[in-house]
Amino acid sequence: MSFKEQILQKKNLWHLGAVVLFLAVTIGYFTPAFTGHTINQGDVTNWSGAAQEIIDYSTNSDEAVHWTNSMFSGMPGVQISGSSPGMKILDEMRAVLTLWLPAPASYLFLYFIGFYILGLALKVKPNISALGSIAYGLSSYFIIILQAGHNTKALAIGYAPLVLASFLWAYRSKKMILPFALAALFMAFELRANHLQITYYLGMVLIAVGLFELVNAIQKNTLPNFSKRTLGLLAVYSLAIALNYGNVKGTLDYAKFTTRGGSELTINPDASKKEDSVKDGGLDTDYITAWSYGIGETFSLIVPNFKGGASGYIGTNESNKDILKNVDRQYEQNIVQMSQYWGNQPFTSGPVYIGIIIVFLAFLALFYVDDKMKWGLLVVTIFTIVLSWGKNYLGFTEFFLEYLPAYNKFRAVTIILFVAELTLPILAILFLNKLLKKREEISKNLIPFFAITGFFIFILLLFIVSPTLFNEFLTTAELSQLDNIPKGQELLYEGLFEELERVRIEIFSADVKRAITYLILGSGAIFIAIKNSQFAKIGLVPLLAIFILFDLLSVDLRYL
């Protein structure tokens, strides 16, 4: 077979088509990035100011500088503008992997290509892997962090599927050299991002998947092979750490002298004794859990405006125009200046929305997919969702802060929802792959399909019929304000908050109706595919990809 014939093989054309799709979506979404525009990223602006002294010095000198006087009373520059010489090769390889696209477009493309490779590692068809990539890359939180300027977090999230892909290859492939070489490379990429919190959470996923690989090895009597591959992974991960030693050690050493290293203070500002529930000198529990996802707020995985979306005035949101037309004129001026977000986080840039269709497919996977890894993914998903509740389910969080090594070094427990944004699309594509390969097997047992579809529709209709059953539309602070109404103004304040609650219910209900629409479209396409083999082969994946693309894009565009 000639080189040209090898290139034009069907499987290679599928891969080329996937890359073209990812480029089209990336360029379409980030068109301004290709015309000289940039995002006004708050964290990047702050970094520019902090790093300017180091940058100015480095520009005029060949000497490396690791200290700046422009921050506080002087501090190490390792976390501001530090980089080890060995990192340059990884940066150049990342540029190749993302086709030299400009930031932030390069981050979105990295999300896509990383998950696509993960899909291939799971032996999922290329078109289904591409669908999963779109779902993963356009998950709302991954887009929102680009707006905020959390670029290192975005890189770590982009590399995460690659690490998991090579991890699976290392255990499931008959080959040894290539899977372990990729495992070393991708872990080196992950550590280069220098966002140890995301890497730590990714470690939870690897452990969960690894445990189920261990169970499989015991059942199949292949424990020696499992042990050999585990030792191999530990060896190549050590190499990845060695390559990133400068950055990793600098971070760990510096952490000892920050709030993550503990505090010498034993008295609170009010003169009471300071009680810290965490050991090893970790962060204070209140600080760790300041941003905690509400238990009910978890429904934002399928209804983005379950708690109103992002913090911001109701009146500045263009999509609220029709709702505001019906506001009582007596309260209109106040309502437009009140927050659309009614959750109990201090503030938020937006929800963690994965997509109603993806979550629906993930549920189907639990009943139809044969790969026992699904239970590992389910367990780690549930654990991390509960951990994201933080102070809203404090006993569970405190247990992990106390006994899980280094868990108390990380703040903003909501970030752990990254795990669900990774695991749920994996489950979704595993189900679709099963449907395309063994459609008849699924068609003989439709009870789980109808039960799950009915469950989702029932919950969403219940949201419409009785919105206050699962949701509260006033924040804790607003309810406290109601309890302290000035005398003589009771009717005015009660009327205002009743009107505010009504407006928020309308905002919520509009998104629930939107979720119902996409659920009907998605479940309808699945049902047709189960009944019609031709549609399953040709029409299902492209149609679902269009639904998912429009669903996620329409939410992402609210925030970036």
Side-chain angles (χ1 to χ4, degrees):
M1 185 183 294
S2 67
F3 178 75
K4 181 179 179 181
E5 288 174 332
Q6 288 179 336
I7 293 294
L8 295 178
Q9 286 185 61
K10 186 176 180 180
K11 63 178 182 180
N12 292 333
L13 292 177
W14 273 113
H15 301 330
L16 178 61
V19 171
V20 171
L21 172 64
F22 301 153
L23 276 173
V25 175
T26 300
I27 294 171
Y29 195 97
F30 285 109
T31 297
F34 298 88
T35 57
H37 293 80
T38 58
I39 299 175
N40 182 18
Q41 298 174 301
D43 276 21
V44 174
T45 302
N46 294 336
W47 169 83
S48 298
Q52 193 60 48
E53 184 182 48
I54 295 175
I55 293 171
D56 289 343
Y57 186 91
S58 301
T59 302
N60 300 303
S61 172
D62 294 331
E63 183 183 359
V65 59
H66 300 292
W67 185 269
T68 178
N69 292 310
S70 66
M71 293 289 290
F72 303 107
S73 298
M75 65 178 286
V78 64
Q79 293 299 299
I80 300 174
S81 188
S83 180
S84 302
M87 301 297 95
K88 291 182 180 179
I89 183 65
L90 291 177
D91 293 339
E92 291 171 2
M93 293 175 73
R94 174 170 67 88
V96 175
L97 184 63
T98 56
L99 303 181
W100 297 275
L101 291 169
S106 58
Y107 301 128
L108 181 59
F109 186 81
L110 181 61
Y111 296 159
F112 290 153
I113 200 69
F115 194 92
Y116 182 74
I117 292 172
L118 172 57
L120 299 181
L122 290 164
K123 296 184 178 179
V124 171
K125 290 176 178 293
N127 57 340
I128 299 175
S129 297
L131 179 149
S133 300
I134 295 297
Y136 179 73
L138 293 177
S139 182
S140 68
Y141 179 70
F142 298 167
I143 299 298
I144 289 167
I145 61 175
L146 298 180
Q147 160 66 34
H150 299 172
N151 293 344
T152 58
K153 187 190 297 181
L155 285 174
I157 287 169
Y159 295 138
L162 293 172
V163 174
L164 181 55
S166 58
F167 183 84
L168 290 169
W169 268 327
Y171 281 115
R172 298 183 177 189
S173 173
K174 294 180 180 179
K175 299 178 181 179
M176 290 286 289
I177 296 177
L178 182 60
F180 285 95
L182 290 175
L185 176 63
F186 293 153
M187 182 57 80
F189 277 147
E190 177 68 29
L191 294 172
R192 171 64 184 112
N194 202 29
H195 198 288
L196 298 186
Q197 187 169 2
I198 291 295
T199 305
Y200 186 94
Y201 297 153
L202 173 61
M204 293 181 175
V205 180
L206 297 183
I207 290 171
V209 173
L211 287 173
F212 277 84
E213 291 295 327
L214 172 60
V215 171
N216 282 337
I218 293 172
Q219 291 176 341
K220 296 177 181 178
N221 199 27
T222 57
L223 200 54
N225 182 58
F226 173 87
S227 301
K228 179 175 68 174
R229 290 174 180 270
T230 300
L231 290 172
L233 279 171
L234 291 175
V236 298
Y237 285 167
S238 297
L239 288 175
I241 293 171
L243 187 59
N244 286 274
Y245 182 76
N247 269 2
V248 173
K249 188 171 190 305
T251 299
L252 296 178
D253 286 346
Y254 180 67
K256 298 173 185 176
F257 301 97
T258 69
T259 54
R260 287 175 169 81
S263 173
E264 296 178 2
L265 301 177
T266 58
I267 303 296
N268 290 313
D270 62 359
S272 62
K273 185 177 179 181
K274 194 175 186 68
E275 294 182 4
D276 196 348
S277 63
V278 296
K279 57 183 180 180
D280 300 330
L283 295 168
D284 181 76
T285 301
D286 289 339
Y287 183 63
I288 291 171
T289 59
W291 267 264
S292 297
Y293 230 55
I295 295 175
E297 198 167 358
T298 308
F299 281 114
S300 68
L301 296 175
I302 60 173
V303 179
N305 272 349
F306 192 86
K307 287 292 182 180
S311 300
Y313 295 143
I314 292 174
T316 59
N317 190 331
E318 291 292 323
S319 62
N320 293 333
K321 278 187 175 181
D322 291 337
I323 294 173
L324 291 174
K325 287 178 182 178
N326 301 319
V327 171
D328 189 322
R329 295 292 170 246
Q330 181 181 2
Y331 307 114
E332 182 180 9
Q333 190 173 355
N334 298 96
I335 295 293
V336 297
Q337 296 181 52
M338 300 186 88
S339 178
Q340 180 167 315
Y341 174 71
W342 59 86
N344 287 320
Q345 296 184 69
F347 61 86
T348 179
S349 298
V352 177
Y353 179 63
I354 297 175
I356 182 70
I357 295 176
I358 289 296
V359 177
F360 171 70
L361 294 174
F363 269 70
L364 291 175
L366 298 177
F367 290 89
Y368 288 112
V369 170
D370 300 321
D371 193 334
K372 296 297 188 295
M373 184 182 71
K374 67 183 180 182
W375 301 120
L377 297 175
L378 174 64
V379 169
V380 75
T381 301
I382 293 173
F383 261 78
T384 51
I385 285 176
V386 176
L387 283 172
S388 77
W389 295 342
K391 62 186 177 184
N392 299 308
Y393 201 66
L394 192 55
F396 191 77
T397 296
E398 285 182 326
F399 177 84
F400 277 80
L401 291 174
E402 188 71 21
Y403 296 107
L404 194 63
Y407 187 69
N408 57 29
K409 305 293 185 183
F410 306 115
R411 64 183 289 268
V413 294
T414 54
I415 296 174
I416 204 171
L417 285 171
F418 139 76
V419 172
E421 293 173 278
L422 172 63
T423 56
L424 291 175
I426 292 174
L427 288 169
I429 64 173
L430 288 176
F431 168 74
L432 288 177
N433 203 55
K434 172 69 178 287
L435 175 58
L436 264 60
K437 286 186 174 181
K438 298 182 179 180
R439 183 189 61 83
E440 292 182 359
E441 182 181 318
I442 293 176
S443 67
K444 293 176 182 177
N445 181 23
L446 286 175
I447 293 176
F449 171 80
F450 287 126
I452 292 168
T453 305
F455 171 76
F456 272 87
I457 290 177
F458 174 75
I459 290 294
L460 292 172
L461 288 176
L462 207 55
F463 288 166
I464 295 288
V465 175
S466 184
T468 57
L469 185 63
F470 290 94
N471 206 344
E472 295 176 347
F473 295 91
L474 296 178
T475 66
T476 302
E478 288 164 348
L479 290 171
S480 178
Q481 190 176 351
L482 266 175
D483 291 336
N484 296 280
I485 298 173
K487 288 186 178 181
Q489 298 185 32
E490 289 87 355
L491 290 178
L492 179 64
Y493 271 80
E494 287 174 3
L496 170 63
F497 281 104
E498 283 178 8
E499 189 68 4
L500 174 63
E501 188 174 25
R502 187 191 64 77
V503 168
R504 286 175 173 170
I505 288 174
E506 285 197 41
I507 293 170
F508 164 71
S509 297
D511 251 19
V512 175
K513 292 172 184 175
R514 178 184 175 283
I516 292 173
T517 301
Y518 278 108
L519 176 62
I520 291 172
L521 291 172
S523 60
I526 295 295
F527 181 72
I528 294 171
I530 292 173
K531 292 296 184 181
N532 188 308
S533 61
Q534 197 66 19
F535 175 75
K537 292 177 182 178
I538 300 174
L540 176 63
V541 175
L543 192 60
L544 283 180
I546 291 170
F547 293 156
I548 291 168
L549 183 65
F550 276 87
D551 177 20
L552 294 176
L553 275 178
S554 62
V555 173
D556 293 339
L557 288 169
R558 298 175 182 179
Y559 309 108
L560 177 59

